[in-house]
Amino acid sequence: MQWLKTKTVAQALADADEPGRQLKRSLGTFDLMILGLAVAVGAGIFSVGARAAGTFAGPAVIFSFIIAAFTCALAIMCYAEFASSVPVTGSAYTYTYLTLGEGLAWIIGWNLLLEMISAAAVIAKYWGIYLSTVLSVAGIDLSSTIELGGLTMYWGPFLIVAVFTVLLIAGTQVSAKVNNVFTILKLAITVFVIVVGFTYMNTDNFTPFIPPA
């Protein structure tokens, strides 16, 4: 059956070498390392973690970060094994095609697109909130929404998506350089918050470690 049809590694490599389907290697080791850190340390770490600790989990939110770190480690090892076994583009779509068939690969491919769209929407939303906050602190009070054709639209996320769309159109190397700058800045802020936060830590707040439901 067509949906159970699989490929071999040799076929996948041959397809990747077809004229017009080859991708230029434009990212170095450092770029890939920073890209991995950018994915692991997302924009939500500045807002979601604090909200979860202050509203729901209390100090026990530490367990969430430990579980997340363990899960990331497993995902890293899985993708490292996949990439070394099948050194072609396609991510989980290609690996599923080779092992489980075209039908499941089709589902995985659309799931990857849905994942990227959902993640981009969340990040754009929070970046829009950050942008509005920065303008407010600077004394520039602007409405967070605009009316466009009878629809109410949040201009912050729209602007963020537009800017990064232009960067992607400019090329992989340009967007990678911008990503490197933002990721290093983000990591520096995270380390700064951790170091300074230790000086304000009150151990009395760790009781109860797991608050009542």
Side-chain angles (χ1 to χ4, degrees):
M1 297 177 66
Q2 181 67 25
W3 65 281
L4 291 177
K5 178 184 176 182
T6 60
K7 285 184 179 181
T8 63
V9 175
Q11 288 174 325
L13 293 173
D15 291 341
D17 289 334
E18 288 184 6
R21 301 182 64 178
Q22 296 177 345
L23 296 177
K24 182 181 178 181
R25 295 178 183 268
S26 56
L27 298 179
T29 303
F30 179 77
D31 296 322
L32 294 176
M33 289 174 58
I34 294 296
L35 185 61
L37 290 173
V39 174
V41 186
I45 194 173
F46 298 118
S47 54
V48 177
R51 183 170 181 267
T55 309
F56 303 106
V61 74
I62 296 173
F63 290 142
S64 298
F65 282 95
I66 294 175
I67 294 173
F70 180 71
T71 304
C72 287
L74 292 178
I76 289 169
M77 289 187 285
C78 288
Y79 271 90
E81 183 175 357
F82 290 155
S84 61
S85 302
V86 189
V88 297
T89 58
S91 185
Y93 168 80
T94 299
Y95 311 137
T96 306
Y97 204 139
L98 268 62
T99 56
L100 300 175
E102 184 176 347
L104 286 176
W106 184 85
I107 296 174
I108 291 295
W110 281 107
N111 281 341
L112 288 173
L113 288 175
L114 179 62
E115 172 191 346
M116 296 300 177
I117 293 172
S118 300
V122 173
I123 292 174
K125 174 186 175 182
Y126 279 108
W127 274 51
I129 294 173
Y130 298 154
L131 180 60
S132 298
T133 303
V134 169
L135 293 177
S136 178
V137 171
I140 304 175
D141 293 324
L142 295 176
S143 174
S144 60
T145 62
I146 58 175
E147 296 292 333
L148 186 63
L151 297 175
T152 301
M153 182 181 70
Y154 288 87
W155 62 268
F158 178 82
L159 178 62
I160 294 299
V161 171
V163 169
F164 281 93
T165 299
V166 172
L167 286 175
L168 290 174
I169 294 174
T172 303
Q173 290 183 334
V174 174
S175 58
K177 290 179 181 179
V178 175
N179 176 72
N180 292 348
V181 172
F182 275 100
T183 302
I184 292 174
L185 180 61
K186 181 170 56 177
L187 292 175
I189 293 173
T190 303
V191 173
F192 174 78
V193 170
I194 292 173
V195 172
V196 175
F198 266 113
T199 64
Y200 290 91
M201 185 174 65
N202 183 356
T203 55
D204 293 338
N205 293 327
F206 283 83
T207 304
F209 192 79
I210 302 178

